[in-house]
Amino acid sequence: MRYDIRTDTLCQLFRLDEMPLRLPPRRWWSPNPLRLHPLSRPRNSFVRPFGHSPSPALKSSIRYTLLAAFASASALGTAYILIRPINLDAPPEDEEQQGSSSQRKPTPLSALVRSYVVYTACSIPGLVDWSPNILAACMAVPGLKQLTEAVVRATFFDQFVGGDTAHGTLPVLQDLRAENKGCLFAYSVEVNEAEAEGHGKKGAELVHKRIVEEMIRCIDVAADFEDSHAGERGRGRRTWVAIKLTALLPNVSALTALSKHIVDSRSQLRVPVAFPGKPRPSDLEILDLRQPPASSSLSQQDIEDLKELREDLVRICQRGKERGVRVIVDAEHSWYQPAIDAFGLELMRQFNKPSTGTATISQPLVYVTFQAYLRRNKDYLLQSLEDAKAGGYTLGVKLVRGAYHPHEVRTHSTSGSPNSLSISPDPLPPVWATKLETDECYDECVKILVNAVAKDFSSTPSASSSWFGSSARKSPPTVSVGVLFGTHNWSSVRLVLDELVRNGLGSVVGQYRGQEGESGAESETIVSIPDEVAERVTMAQLYGMCDALTNYAVDRTRSSAPMLLKYVPYGALVEVLPYLSRRAIENKSVLSGEGAGGAARERKEAASGIWRVVFGGR
């Protein structure tokens, strides 16, 4: 399976399925713009979402769904574009603000209309599911392609993407920092299959190598931004960089082959950990061999590609270390995860140790991702904390729920078939069966991690009572773990803040009044977070999503450096279309319904904002 830089997806804005799509040839153009039909019947010319030829009834249904969806999107997009220039972008004068929110610029009308349009579309499950095919068909038609790009840019791109380039995203970073929010930067492109294999011009630079160079450039942009805002080097710097390993290889199947080799060759642990298991320092020893064993699932070319990946990862992390920018290794599907875990462990063992001549580090440089929807997560986390202490390095944890649940369940059901992607030896799927189990696992891990941070401070030799209770100079605390809590769940954000207070890592400094319509705010407090804790505990949400939750967390905390980050992707429109589509489907469970973070809630908040700006009401 390989990734594709093509304009063929609105279904990869939060996605669970990653299926290569076939673009119809340009012969599909008809002089009649209201009809799309093949003037000839080229082989394999129809866009095939499921790998088989659709029935005539399905073709007709797709055609009318495409036209209806495009007409609706065009009307909404046109309305949005027409509304943008009017003077109603000015905020209402009587808008009340509180605490940290006093620095927050009210949302302009154009952004509110855009949010309403986007989340209205995300509330239609059929539209989300068919968005890759709709986009693929629209982008294949001359004239319609340009209009589609304009509508997507004015809506989904502006909602979820920071800009076309790293430098072009700087205004977004500046706006976030003005509101005491940081940024998790990500260059969101994927590898083109033909060009990645070197089928293009001989000697041309491979796509995955260009991505590596762009990630290093991204680190430099992040560092330059922080140099102009932060004080002491290495502290208070809240522009980090996220990387995906699948984008850094010419052939992503090498990761699957390495994962299978790791699973097949690992010895049993004393305390078993469910698939994808727990990484060991010996997992990558096969890369030091001149050629793989005959019994290995790895080819010689796989070994060469993976060695190159290892070198590139060291380059990226070394630049992050030199420039004071933390590097977050994103998690992906379970059949890649054993290999990703192995590389992540090696990077932490190399970069998360104190430099020569120093006793401790203030925070980890490299973070790896723990997915709470995996059955292994709690056991894996506990054993990883023990391994970090024994190995003398700091564990960097990005805790998330996970984005590929339906796809993981569906793939595991095909286990044993010749074309199955599943490499799990376990009888059960690698993920929990229900969201409730995932939520319970996430909250348990929150408590484990906050407690681990608290133990670091309580183990400080000079701390006779509270580490923060005296102005006397104390030895720096031991740093066994640094945590980034990625969540769009209101209950989880409240739990993190409550656990910080309960473990003595934060202190109550006032009563939180809440925003209008916010339930339960009367019993909540404002929490002051010392600098030493803010360097170790951070929260994050995706850019363009759950801004009310982000603002809530900012308003409930007081810290000199941002406690909240926004995950901000960037890239040219044609490069990030797969990201936009994937984001839509991956988070369909988050976007559906009236619950916390749902599209319905986001749409209602945008509608309320529009009403306040236009009519001055509340």
Side-chain angles (χ1 to χ4, degrees):
M1 188 174 98
R2 299 182 177 94
Y3 288 88
D4 204 358
I5 300 184
R6 297 188 308 192
T7 58
D8 57 291
T9 37
L10 180 49
C11 221
Q12 282 184 344
L13 184 77
F14 299 102
R15 77 158 272 175
L16 293 162
D17 244 340
E18 295 198 29
M19 298 174 289
L21 300 175
R22 301 172 188 245
L23 294 179
R26 296 199 173 186
R27 286 183 289 176
W28 268 50
W29 170 248
S30 167
N32 182 353
L34 298 181
R35 294 188 63 202
L36 287 174
H37 63 85
L39 300 180
S40 60
R41 292 191 172 272
R43 282 182 59 188
N44 299 328
S45 63
F46 194 81
V47 177
R48 297 180 175 176
F50 303 111
H52 59 78
S53 180
S55 65
L58 180 57
K59 289 184 180 181
S60 177
S61 174
I62 292 173
R63 182 179 300 137
Y64 288 115
T65 300
L66 187 157
L67 291 173
F70 182 78
S72 300
S74 297
L76 289 170
T78 302
Y80 164 72
I81 294 168
L82 291 174
I83 288 174
R84 290 180 73 174
I86 69 177
N87 293 329
L88 288 174
D89 272 356
E93 294 181 1
D94 61 343
E95 185 159 338
E96 295 180 6
Q97 297 174 325
Q98 166 196 351
S100 298
S101 64
S102 62
Q103 303 299 318
R104 190 173 302 134
K105 293 189 296 186
T107 307
L109 179 63
S110 58
L112 292 169
V113 173
R114 182 188 67 224
S115 295
Y116 187 84
V117 169
V118 167
Y119 284 107
T120 296
C122 289
S123 300
I124 306 172
L127 184 59
V128 173
D129 291 336
W130 282 94
S131 57
N133 304 341
I134 294 171
L135 268 187
C138 290
M139 298 294 283
V141 180
L144 194 57
K145 175 180 182 292
Q146 288 74 19
L147 182 57
T148 301
E149 287 180 348
V151 171
V152 172
R153 176 174 288 278
T155 53
F156 289 92
F157 183 91
D158 287 348
Q159 182 72 22
F160 297 111
V161 181
D164 291 86
T165 64
H167 285 93
T169 309
L170 288 175
V172 173
L173 271 62
Q174 188 65 52
D175 289 343
L176 290 172
R177 186 55 56 90
E179 298 176 359
N180 202 28
K181 300 169 188 173
C183 170
L184 182 52
F185 231 179
Y187 179 48
S188 294
V189 303
E190 297 174 350
V191 178
N192 177 277
E193 181 174 347
E195 192 175 354
E197 289 187 343
H199 295 162
K201 184 178 178 181
K202 188 175 181 179
E205 185 183 17
L206 298 180
V207 172
H208 72 284
K209 298 304 290 183
R210 295 204 300 269
I211 294 174
V212 171
E213 296 305 319
E214 179 59 35
M215 288 182 175
I216 291 174
R217 186 179 301 111
C218 177
I219 289 173
D220 288 335
V221 172
D224 291 342
F225 177 81
E226 286 300 329
D227 288 345
S228 66
H229 287 77
E232 180 184 348
R233 184 64 174 267
R235 298 180 69 86
R237 300 171 73 85
R238 292 297 185 275
T239 306
W240 304 354
V241 170
I243 61 174
K244 268 191 184 298
L245 268 60
T246 50
L248 305 180
L249 280 163
N251 187 347
V252 76
S253 63
L255 272 185
T256 308
L258 177 58
S259 291
K260 190 174 188 312
H261 167 81
I262 290 171
V263 171
D264 292 343
S265 60
R266 274 177 181 164
S267 58
Q268 289 294 323
L269 293 169
R270 181 175 53 85
V271 179
V273 175
F275 178 82
K278 182 177 78 71
R280 332 276 173 83
S282 59
D283 284 344
L284 298 181
E285 288 180 352
I286 191 170
L287 302 187
D288 298 324
L289 303 178
R290 289 192 174 183
Q291 58 184 21
S295 60
S296 174
S297 56
L298 289 159
S299 68
Q300 184 62 41
Q301 186 59 53
D302 290 337
I303 294 290
E304 296 302 319
D305 291 343
L306 292 165
K307 284 181 178 178
E308 185 181 37
L309 172 63
R310 179 195 245 174
E311 294 170 358
D312 288 336
L313 288 172
V314 170
R315 283 184 61 210
I316 291 169
C317 293
Q318 185 61 40
R319 182 63 65 92
K321 181 179 180 180
E322 293 168 356
R323 299 302 310 271
V325 175
R326 301 187 210 185
V327 178
I328 315 298
V329 180
D330 280 345
E332 306 192 50
H333 292 96
S334 64
W335 44 93
Y336 302 134
Q337 208 54 48
I340 293 173
D341 291 341
F343 282 111
L345 175 62
E346 183 172 83
L347 293 172
M348 287 193 294
R349 289 170 62 89
Q350 179 175 350
F351 290 97
N352 289 4
K353 289 185 176 181
S355 301
T356 304
T358 60
T360 64
I361 60 174
S362 59
Q363 72 276 323
L365 176 78
V366 178
Y367 287 63
V368 297
T369 303
F370 288 71
Q371 299 164 294
Y373 76 169
L374 292 178
R375 295 176 181 274
R376 71 163 182 176
N377 200 64
K378 182 180 176 182
D379 294 332
Y380 172 38
L381 177 60
L382 290 170
Q383 292 192 33
S384 295
L385 286 166
E386 293 177 3
D387 290 349
K389 285 185 179 180
Y393 63 91
T394 300
L395 181 68
V397 176
K398 172 189 165 191
L399 180 66
V400 300
R401 278 174 167 76
Y404 306 98
H405 188 278
H407 196 46
E408 290 285 355
V409 173
R410 187 163 58 250
T411 300
H412 187 80
S413 68
T414 66
S415 181
S417 64
N419 297 323
S420 176
L421 291 169
S422 175
I423 61 171
S424 171
D426 298 347
L428 292 173
V431 294
W432 297 109
T434 66
K435 185 177 183 301
L436 178 60
E437 291 172 303
T438 297
D439 291 341
E440 290 173 349
C441 180
Y442 189 95
D443 290 348
E444 285 184 62
C445 292
V446 167
K447 295 175 182 178
I448 291 169
L449 289 165
V450 175
N451 182 256
V453 174
K455 284 182 178 179
D456 285 351
F457 288 101
S458 65
S459 66
T460 303
S462 57
S464 56
S465 54
S466 170
W467 199 87
F468 309 105
S470 169
S471 60
R473 185 176 180 84
K474 298 181 175 67
S475 302
T478 303
V479 181
S480 66
V481 63
V483 193
L484 170 62
F485 294 109
T487 179
H488 298 100
N489 185 287
W490 287 73
S491 296
S492 295
V493 169
R494 291 185 175 106
L495 177 64
V496 171
L497 297 177
D498 291 346
E499 286 296 303
L500 289 173
V501 173
R502 190 177 71 83
N503 284 274
L505 298 175
S507 57
V508 175
V509 294
Q511 197 70 23
Y512 174 65
R513 289 186 291 133
Q515 303 299 319
E516 191 214 345
E518 194 174 303
S519 61
E522 61 277 358
S523 62
E524 295 180 325
T525 56
I526 297 173
V527 180
S528 176
I529 310 295
D531 290 348
E532 294 80 4
V533 176
E535 288 298 317
R536 305 272 299 283
V537 180
T538 315
M539 291 181 281
Q541 288 91 38
L542 291 170
Y543 178 69
M545 285 185 62
C546 300
D547 288 342
L549 176 59
T550 306
N551 293 337
Y552 162 83
V554 170
D555 292 345
R556 276 203 61 195
T557 54
R558 297 291 180 269
S559 59
S560 59
M563 271 282 292
L564 270 293
L565 308 181
K566 278 293 195 180
Y567 187 105
V568 181
Y570 74 90
L573 177 62
V574 295
E575 294 174 333
V576 300
L577 277 175
Y579 167 83
L580 290 174
S581 299
R582 186 173 57 256
R583 290 262 68 84
I585 295 194
E586 283 173 1
N587 292 275
K588 190 163 61 173
S589 61
V590 175
L591 290 169
S592 62
E594 299 287 335
R601 176 181 184 137
E602 299 275 358
R603 188 177 66 249
K604 286 180 179 179
E605 289 176 350
S608 297
I610 293 170
W611 182 272
R612 287 197 300 271
V613 172
V614 175
F615 299 105
R618 291 198 174 270

